[in-house]
Amino acid sequence: MPDVRTSPSSPTHLSAGLVTDPGTDPASGPVAPPSAAELLDFARRTAADAELVASLPLDPEGRTWLRLDGPGGSEAWLIGWPPGTGTGWHDHGGSHGAFVSAAGELNEQSLAARLPTEGWKTLELADGVDRERRLPAGQGRAFGPHHVHEVINPSDTEHAVSVHAYYPPLPLMRRYSRTGQTLRLEQVERPEEWG
């Protein structure tokens, strides 16, 4: 997972009752990949698991995470956000997904525009493409494969915790910088770089 600090504890896996192989289920045969709505349902159920949320070690300076087994072979994370931290602008490399605040509050800034995936370094964004969502504990959202956003813990004093799920597992992430209406592609990260 990019742009996160790992916690000193070993990864935790949440797998009770979830199919983690997207190809087949021994009981019923082929399994369809999870939809964004199914990922949102998973994130909501996981965010409501108070024991799991409380098990996440929180660091006062950097984000912490635990990898979870998501439904249907999806990639999932429980993430702790110290006050004032955020992701910066990014996309999910063509994966669809969902996230839910489990504790505290997150703010999401997103673009209501589909960006080209290749062949550009700088784009001028049209007026009216910005969207903002406030996501207190228990609230979340699903998104499609072309979603570009940044997520921030706006609190000056409180940690936030959230659950995120992506399908297919993130093949890459594009990172952007933004000045006014100008969006610039800064970096393409691949899973092997996330250590």
Side-chain angles (χ1 to χ4, degrees):
M1 182 77 195
D3 197 357
V4 293
R5 295 179 69 208
T6 58
S7 68
S9 64
S10 61
T12 295
H13 297 279
L14 177 69
S15 59
L18 300 176
V19 176
T20 57
D21 176 359
T24 60
D25 178 340
S28 61
V31 175
S35 68
E38 290 167 327
L39 294 176
L40 181 59
D41 181 59
F42 165 82
R44 282 188 176 129
R45 286 183 286 114
T46 305
D49 183 338
E51 185 177 338
L52 176 66
V53 171
S55 75
L56 180 66
L58 299 177
D59 183 317
E61 296 179 20
R63 291 191 298 156
T64 54
W65 58 266
L66 293 174
R67 180 138 190 189
L68 309 172
D69 289 335
S74 63
E75 179 175 353
W77 302 89
L78 180 67
I79 300 175
W81 306 72
T85 58
T87 60
W89 286 93
H90 66 283
D91 69 18
H92 305 98
S95 295
H96 62 271
F99 70 102
V100 171
S101 294
E105 180 177 307
L106 294 174
N107 284 355
E108 179 197 35
Q109 306 287 326
S110 64
L111 300 178
R114 185 172 174 173
L115 304 181
T117 57
E118 303 293 332
W120 67 277
K121 283 287 198 182
T122 304
L123 288 176
E124 287 298 317
L125 300 171
D127 290 336
V129 299
D130 290 297
R131 300 294 181 266
E132 183 174 350
R133 286 181 177 82
R134 182 180 150 265
L135 301 166
Q139 297 296 308
R141 68 161 342 234
F143 53 84
H146 303 288
H147 191 62
V148 176
H149 71 167
E150 71 173 342
V151 180
I152 299 164
N153 175 0
S155 175
D156 292 331
T157 58
E158 302 296 322
H159 268 78
V161 177
S162 57
V163 177
H164 302 248
Y166 311 98
Y167 189 86
L170 297 174
L172 59 86
M173 288 180 74
R174 293 176 195 89
R175 297 227 172 248
Y176 306 98
S177 62
R178 183 166 178 190
T179 306
Q181 294 301 101
T182 303
L183 189 71
R184 176 181 297 277
L185 176 63
E186 297 291 345
Q187 182 178 8
V188 177
E189 297 176 353
R190 302 202 182 276
E192 58 271 14
E193 299 170 41
W194 302 336

mmCIF file of all heavy atoms in Angstrom, residues 54-89:
data_model
loop_
_atom_site.group_PDB
_atom_site.id
_atom_site.type_symbol
_atom_site.label_atom_id
_atom_site.label_comp_id
_atom_site.label_asym_id
_atom_site.label_seq_id
_atom_site.Cartn_x
_atom_site.Cartn_y
_atom_site.Cartn_z
ATOM 1 N N ALA A 54 -10.160 -1.260 16.824
ATOM 2 C CA ALA A 54 -9.354 -0.946 18.010
ATOM 3 C C ALA A 54 -7.999 -1.654 17.987
ATOM 4 O O ALA A 54 -7.066 -1.219 18.663
ATOM 5 C CB ALA A 54 -10.112 -1.314 19.274
ATOM 6 N N SER A 55 -7.857 -2.716 17.190
ATOM 7 C CA SER A 55 -6.587 -3.456 17.147
ATOM 8 C C SER A 55 -5.514 -2.753 16.318
ATOM 9 O O SER A 55 -4.345 -3.121 16.385
ATOM 10 C CB SER A 55 -6.814 -4.864 16.590
ATOM 11 O OG SER A 55 -7.010 -4.833 15.175
ATOM 12 N N LEU A 56 -5.892 -1.742 15.552
ATOM 13 C CA LEU A 56 -4.932 -1.048 14.693
ATOM 14 C C LEU A 56 -4.023 -0.160 15.535
ATOM 15 O O LEU A 56 -4.502 0.757 16.203
ATOM 16 C CB LEU A 56 -5.658 -0.190 13.652
ATOM 17 C CG LEU A 56 -4.753 0.586 12.700
ATOM 18 C CD1 LEU A 56 -3.976 -0.369 11.792
ATOM 19 C CD2 LEU A 56 -5.587 1.543 11.862
ATOM 20 N N PRO A 57 -2.710 -0.420 15.517
ATOM 21 C CA PRO A 57 -1.797 0.480 16.231
ATOM 22 C C PRO A 57 -1.813 1.854 15.551
ATOM 23 O O PRO A 57 -1.736 1.945 14.333
ATOM 24 C CB PRO A 57 -0.432 -0.177 16.072
ATOM 25 C CG PRO A 57 -0.688 -1.560 15.584
ATOM 26 C CD PRO A 57 -2.011 -1.526 14.882
ATOM 27 N N LEU A 58 -1.928 2.903 16.346
ATOM 28 C CA LEU A 58 -1.948 4.257 15.803
ATOM 29 C C LEU A 58 -0.632 4.953 16.121
ATOM 30 O O LEU A 58 -0.135 4.881 17.236
ATOM 31 C CB LEU A 58 -3.121 5.041 16.388
ATOM 32 C CG LEU A 58 -4.499 4.460 16.082
ATOM 33 C CD1 LEU A 58 -5.587 5.272 16.783
ATOM 34 C CD2 LEU A 58 -4.756 4.388 14.587
ATOM 35 N N ASP A 59 -0.088 5.609 15.127
ATOM 36 C CA ASP A 59 1.175 6.325 15.248
ATOM 37 C C ASP A 59 0.860 7.817 15.206
ATOM 38 O O ASP A 59 0.101 8.255 14.346
ATOM 39 C CB ASP A 59 2.076 5.927 14.067
ATOM 40 C CG ASP A 59 3.444 6.545 14.098
ATOM 41 O OD1 ASP A 59 3.569 7.753 14.394
ATOM 42 O OD2 ASP A 59 4.416 5.840 13.805
ATOM 43 N N PRO A 60 1.436 8.639 16.101
ATOM 44 C CA PRO A 60 1.108 10.061 16.100
ATOM 45 C C PRO A 60 1.643 10.817 14.887
ATOM 46 O O PRO A 60 1.202 11.928 14.611
ATOM 47 C CB PRO A 60 1.741 10.583 17.388
ATOM 48 C CG PRO A 60 2.789 9.600 17.746
ATOM 49 C CD PRO A 60 2.342 8.277 17.195
ATOM 50 N N GLU A 61 2.572 10.218 14.133
ATOM 51 C CA GLU A 61 3.199 10.953 13.043
ATOM 52 C C GLU A 61 2.887 10.428 11.653
ATOM 53 O O GLU A 61 2.951 11.175 10.684
ATOM 54 C CB GLU A 61 4.708 10.970 13.248
ATOM 55 C CG GLU A 61 5.095 11.720 14.503
ATOM 56 C CD GLU A 61 6.589 11.727 14.716
ATOM 57 O OE1 GLU A 61 7.342 11.511 13.758
ATOM 58 O OE2 GLU A 61 6.999 11.945 15.863
ATOM 59 N N GLY A 62 2.600 9.150 11.499
ATOM 60 C CA GLY A 62 2.384 8.605 10.165
ATOM 61 C C GLY A 62 1.215 7.651 10.135
ATOM 62 O O GLY A 62 0.819 7.104 11.163
ATOM 63 N N ARG A 63 0.670 7.459 8.945
ATOM 64 C CA ARG A 63 -0.437 6.527 8.801
ATOM 65 C C ARG A 63 0.053 5.100 9.074
ATOM 66 O O ARG A 63 1.188 4.753 8.779
ATOM 67 C CB ARG A 63 -1.040 6.616 7.406
ATOM 68 C CG ARG A 63 -1.763 7.934 7.192
ATOM 69 C CD ARG A 63 -2.593 7.951 5.939
ATOM 70 N NE ARG A 63 -1.770 7.787 4.757
ATOM 71 C CZ ARG A 63 -2.219 7.315 3.599
ATOM 72 N NH1 ARG A 63 -3.463 6.934 3.466
ATOM 73 N NH2 ARG A 63 -1.423 7.224 2.561
ATOM 74 N N THR A 64 -0.814 4.280 9.625
ATOM 75 C CA THR A 64 -0.529 2.875 9.875
ATOM 76 C C THR A 64 -1.586 2.047 9.162
ATOM 77 O O THR A 64 -2.653 2.562 8.813
ATOM 78 C CB THR A 64 -0.547 2.559 11.386
ATOM 79 O OG1 THR A 64 -1.776 2.996 11.944
ATOM 80 C CG2 THR A 64 0.623 3.227 12.092
ATOM 81 N N TRP A 65 -1.306 0.774 8.955
ATOM 82 C CA TRP A 65 -2.251 -0.053 8.228
ATOM 83 C C TRP A 65 -2.153 -1.509 8.628
ATOM 84 O O TRP A 65 -1.140 -1.951 9.163
ATOM 85 C CB TRP A 65 -2.021 0.073 6.723
ATOM 86 C CG TRP A 65 -0.627 -0.316 6.290
ATOM 87 C CD1 TRP A 65 0.446 0.514 6.110
ATOM 88 C CD2 TRP A 65 -0.145 -1.625 6.011
ATOM 89 N NE1 TRP A 65 1.553 -0.201 5.727
ATOM 90 C CE2 TRP A 65 1.213 -1.525 5.653
ATOM 91 C CE3 TRP A 65 -0.744 -2.889 6.012
ATOM 92 C CZ2 TRP A 65 1.986 -2.618 5.310
ATOM 93 C CZ3 TRP A 65 0.046 -3.989 5.677
ATOM 94 C CH2 TRP A 65 1.382 -3.837 5.321
ATOM 95 N N LEU A 66 -3.237 -2.199 8.343
ATOM 96 C CA LEU A 66 -3.293 -3.653 8.407
ATOM 97 C C LEU A 66 -3.939 -4.123 7.120
ATOM 98 O O LEU A 66 -4.970 -3.589 6.705
ATOM 99 C CB LEU A 66 -4.138 -4.134 9.588
ATOM 100 C CG LEU A 66 -3.616 -3.853 10.990
ATOM 101 C CD1 LEU A 66 -4.655 -4.273 12.027
ATOM 102 C CD2 LEU A 66 -2.299 -4.566 11.228
ATOM 103 N N ARG A 67 -3.335 -5.097 6.476
ATOM 104 C CA ARG A 67 -3.928 -5.660 5.266
ATOM 105 C C ARG A 67 -5.014 -6.646 5.675
ATOM 106 O O ARG A 67 -4.843 -7.419 6.606
ATOM 107 C CB ARG A 67 -2.868 -6.362 4.437
ATOM 108 C CG ARG A 67 -3.479 -6.947 3.179
ATOM 109 C CD ARG A 67 -2.641 -6.728 2.019
ATOM 110 N NE ARG A 67 -3.385 -7.085 0.831
ATOM 111 C CZ ARG A 67 -2.839 -7.158 -0.333
ATOM 112 N NH1 ARG A 67 -1.567 -6.886 -0.470
ATOM 113 N NH2 ARG A 67 -3.554 -7.480 -1.378
ATOM 114 N N LEU A 68 -6.133 -6.607 4.954
ATOM 115 C CA LEU A 68 -7.272 -7.478 5.217
ATOM 116 C C LEU A 68 -7.549 -8.339 3.992
ATOM 117 O O LEU A 68 -7.225 -7.945 2.871
ATOM 118 C CB LEU A 68 -8.517 -6.642 5.529
ATOM 119 C CG LEU A 68 -8.386 -5.560 6.591
ATOM 120 C CD1 LEU A 68 -9.652 -4.716 6.637
ATOM 121 C CD2 LEU A 68 -8.095 -6.179 7.937
ATOM 122 N N ASP A 69 -8.172 -9.484 4.186
ATOM 123 C CA ASP A 69 -8.657 -10.288 3.062
ATOM 124 C C ASP A 69 -9.994 -9.719 2.635
ATOM 125 O O ASP A 69 -10.962 -9.745 3.394
ATOM 126 C CB ASP A 69 -8.837 -11.752 3.472
ATOM 127 C CG ASP A 69 -7.513 -12.463 3.697
ATOM 128 O OD1 ASP A 69 -6.499 -12.026 3.113
ATOM 129 O OD2 ASP A 69 -7.494 -13.451 4.439
ATOM 130 N N GLY A 70 -10.038 -9.181 1.428
ATOM 131 C CA GLY A 70 -11.284 -8.636 0.916
ATOM 132 C C GLY A 70 -12.086 -9.692 0.191
ATOM 133 O O GLY A 70 -11.598 -10.786 -0.095
ATOM 134 N N PRO A 71 -13.323 -9.384 -0.144
ATOM 135 C CA PRO A 71 -14.177 -10.351 -0.831
ATOM 136 C C PRO A 71 -13.748 -10.583 -2.273
ATOM 137 O O PRO A 71 -13.279 -9.664 -2.939
ATOM 138 C CB PRO A 71 -15.560 -9.699 -0.771
ATOM 139 C CG PRO A 71 -15.286 -8.236 -0.687
ATOM 140 C CD PRO A 71 -14.007 -8.118 0.109
ATOM 141 N N GLY A 72 -13.883 -11.805 -2.722
ATOM 142 C CA GLY A 72 -13.654 -12.126 -4.132
ATOM 143 C C GLY A 72 -12.272 -11.800 -4.645
ATOM 144 O O GLY A 72 -12.116 -11.449 -5.803
ATOM 145 N N GLY A 73 -11.256 -11.879 -3.793
ATOM 146 C CA GLY A 73 -9.890 -11.600 -4.237
ATOM 147 C C GLY A 73 -9.534 -10.127 -4.268
ATOM 148 O O GLY A 73 -8.508 -9.739 -4.822
ATOM 149 N N SER A 74 -10.354 -9.296 -3.663
ATOM 150 C CA SER A 74 -10.054 -7.864 -3.644
ATOM 151 C C SER A 74 -8.944 -7.564 -2.643
ATOM 152 O O SER A 74 -8.632 -8.367 -1.777
ATOM 153 C CB SER A 74 -11.309 -7.062 -3.283
ATOM 154 O OG SER A 74 -11.759 -7.380 -1.991
ATOM 155 N N GLU A 75 -8.349 -6.417 -2.786
ATOM 156 C CA GLU A 75 -7.324 -5.911 -1.879
ATOM 157 C C GLU A 75 -8.021 -5.010 -0.869
ATOM 158 O O GLU A 75 -8.822 -4.157 -1.250
ATOM 159 C CB GLU A 75 -6.308 -5.117 -2.689
ATOM 160 C CG GLU A 75 -5.206 -4.502 -1.905
ATOM 161 C CD GLU A 75 -4.172 -3.830 -2.817
ATOM 162 O OE1 GLU A 75 -4.247 -3.960 -4.052
ATOM 163 O OE2 GLU A 75 -3.306 -3.165 -2.254
ATOM 164 N N ALA A 76 -7.741 -5.200 0.419
ATOM 165 C CA ALA A 76 -8.419 -4.393 1.443
ATOM 166 C C ALA A 76 -7.428 -3.981 2.524
ATOM 167 O O ALA A 76 -6.449 -4.691 2.790
ATOM 168 C CB ALA A 76 -9.581 -5.174 2.047
ATOM 169 N N TRP A 77 -7.713 -2.832 3.141
ATOM 170 C CA TRP A 77 -6.821 -2.245 4.142
ATOM 171 C C TRP A 77 -7.624 -1.587 5.245
ATOM 172 O O TRP A 77 -8.647 -0.945 4.988
ATOM 173 C CB TRP A 77 -5.945 -1.167 3.505
ATOM 174 C CG TRP A 77 -5.118 -1.645 2.368
ATOM 175 C CD1 TRP A 77 -5.481 -1.673 1.038
ATOM 176 C CD2 TRP A 77 -3.808 -2.178 2.436
ATOM 177 N NE1 TRP A 77 -4.456 -2.192 0.296
ATOM 178 C CE2 TRP A 77 -3.416 -2.508 1.127
ATOM 179 C CE3 TRP A 77 -2.923 -2.404 3.485
ATOM 180 C CZ2 TRP A 77 -2.182 -3.051 0.834
ATOM 181 C CZ3 TRP A 77 -1.681 -2.945 3.192
ATOM 182 C CH2 TRP A 77 -1.322 -3.265 1.879
ATOM 183 N N LEU A 78 -7.134 -1.685 6.464
ATOM 184 C CA LEU A 78 -7.586 -0.891 7.595
ATOM 185 C C LEU A 78 -6.489 0.146 7.804
ATOM 186 O O LEU A 78 -5.328 -0.221 7.993
ATOM 187 C CB LEU A 78 -7.755 -1.772 8.831
ATOM 188 C CG LEU A 78 -8.228 -1.091 10.109
ATOM 189 C CD1 LEU A 78 -9.666 -0.585 9.956
ATOM 190 C CD2 LEU A 78 -8.128 -2.062 11.282
ATOM 191 N N ILE A 79 -6.828 1.429 7.732
ATOM 192 C CA ILE A 79 -5.814 2.488 7.749
ATOM 193 C C ILE A 79 -6.086 3.467 8.888
ATOM 194 O O ILE A 79 -7.219 3.916 9.072
ATOM 195 C CB ILE A 79 -5.781 3.249 6.405
ATOM 196 C CG1 ILE A 79 -5.457 2.275 5.269
ATOM 197 C CG2 ILE A 79 -4.755 4.392 6.456
ATOM 198 C CD1 ILE A 79 -5.506 2.898 3.884
ATOM 199 N N GLY A 80 -5.033 3.802 9.643
ATOM 200 C CA GLY A 80 -5.098 4.818 10.682
ATOM 201 C C GLY A 80 -4.498 6.117 10.176
ATOM 202 O O GLY A 80 -3.428 6.119 9.560
ATOM 203 N N TRP A 81 -5.179 7.209 10.426
ATOM 204 C CA TRP A 81 -4.804 8.541 9.939
ATOM 205 C C TRP A 81 -4.540 9.463 11.116
ATOM 206 O O TRP A 81 -5.481 9.890 11.791
ATOM 207 C CB TRP A 81 -5.950 9.144 9.138
ATOM 208 C CG TRP A 81 -6.473 8.326 8.012
ATOM 209 C CD1 TRP A 81 -7.229 7.187 8.100
ATOM 210 C CD2 TRP A 81 -6.312 8.595 6.634
ATOM 211 N NE1 TRP A 81 -7.546 6.739 6.852
ATOM 212 C CE2 TRP A 81 -7.000 7.582 5.929
ATOM 213 C CE3 TRP A 81 -5.664 9.594 5.917
ATOM 214 C CZ2 TRP A 81 -7.049 7.540 4.549
ATOM 215 C CZ3 TRP A 81 -5.724 9.552 4.546
ATOM 216 C CH2 TRP A 81 -6.391 8.542 3.868
ATOM 217 N N PRO A 82 -3.296 9.853 11.386
ATOM 218 C CA PRO A 82 -3.051 10.865 12.419
ATOM 219 C C PRO A 82 -3.714 12.193 12.030
ATOM 220 O O PRO A 82 -4.022 12.419 10.857
ATOM 221 C CB PRO A 82 -1.528 11.007 12.427
ATOM 222 C CG PRO A 82 -1.018 9.744 11.834
ATOM 223 C CD PRO A 82 -2.055 9.338 10.820
ATOM 224 N N PRO A 83 -3.921 13.069 12.992
ATOM 225 C CA PRO A 83 -4.514 14.367 12.692
ATOM 226 C C PRO A 83 -3.777 15.083 11.560
ATOM 227 O O PRO A 83 -2.544 15.108 11.520
ATOM 228 C CB PRO A 83 -4.364 15.137 14.005
ATOM 229 C CG PRO A 83 -4.326 14.075 15.054
ATOM 230 C CD PRO A 83 -3.605 12.915 14.417
ATOM 231 N N GLY A 84 -4.548 15.622 10.623
ATOM 232 C CA GLY A 84 -3.995 16.435 9.552
ATOM 233 C C GLY A 84 -3.332 15.694 8.413
ATOM 234 O O GLY A 84 -2.828 16.329 7.495
ATOM 235 N N THR A 85 -3.326 14.370 8.404
ATOM 236 C CA THR A 85 -2.649 13.641 7.328
ATOM 237 C C THR A 85 -3.595 13.383 6.164
ATOM 238 O O THR A 85 -4.814 13.399 6.307
ATOM 239 C CB THR A 85 -2.071 12.301 7.826
ATOM 240 O OG1 THR A 85 -3.123 11.501 8.361
ATOM 241 C CG2 THR A 85 -0.994 12.526 8.859
ATOM 242 N N GLY A 86 -3.012 13.134 4.992
ATOM 243 C CA GLY A 86 -3.803 12.853 3.805
ATOM 244 C C GLY A 86 -3.001 12.089 2.774
ATOM 245 O O GLY A 86 -1.815 11.811 2.962
ATOM 246 N N THR A 87 -3.654 11.769 1.683
ATOM 247 C CA THR A 87 -3.046 10.946 0.636
ATOM 248 C C THR A 87 -2.392 11.755 -0.469
ATOM 249 O O THR A 87 -1.562 11.224 -1.190
ATOM 250 C CB THR A 87 -4.111 10.062 -0.034
ATOM 251 O OG1 THR A 87 -5.114 10.913 -0.619
ATOM 252 C CG2 THR A 87 -4.722 9.092 0.948
ATOM 253 N N GLY A 88 -2.807 12.982 -0.687
ATOM 254 C CA GLY A 88 -2.457 13.675 -1.915
ATOM 255 C C GLY A 88 -3.360 13.149 -3.036
ATOM 256 O O GLY A 88 -4.057 12.143 -2.887
ATOM 257 N N TRP A 89 -3.370 13.847 -4.161
ATOM 258 C CA TRP A 89 -4.217 13.462 -5.293
ATOM 259 C C TRP A 89 -3.659 12.193 -5.919
ATOM 260 O O TRP A 89 -2.458 12.076 -6.147
ATOM 261 C CB TRP A 89 -4.263 14.583 -6.329
ATOM 262 C CG TRP A 89 -5.097 15.744 -5.889
ATOM 263 C CD1 TRP A 89 -4.669 16.866 -5.248
ATOM 264 C CD2 TRP A 89 -6.508 15.869 -6.032
ATOM 265 N NE1 TRP A 89 -5.733 17.688 -4.979
ATOM 266 C CE2 TRP A 89 -6.867 17.105 -5.453
ATOM 267 C CE3 TRP A 89 -7.493 15.064 -6.589
ATOM 268 C CZ2 TRP A 89 -8.187 17.551 -5.428
ATOM 269 C CZ3 TRP A 89 -8.808 15.505 -6.559
ATOM 270 C CH2 TRP A 89 -9.138 16.740 -5.982
#
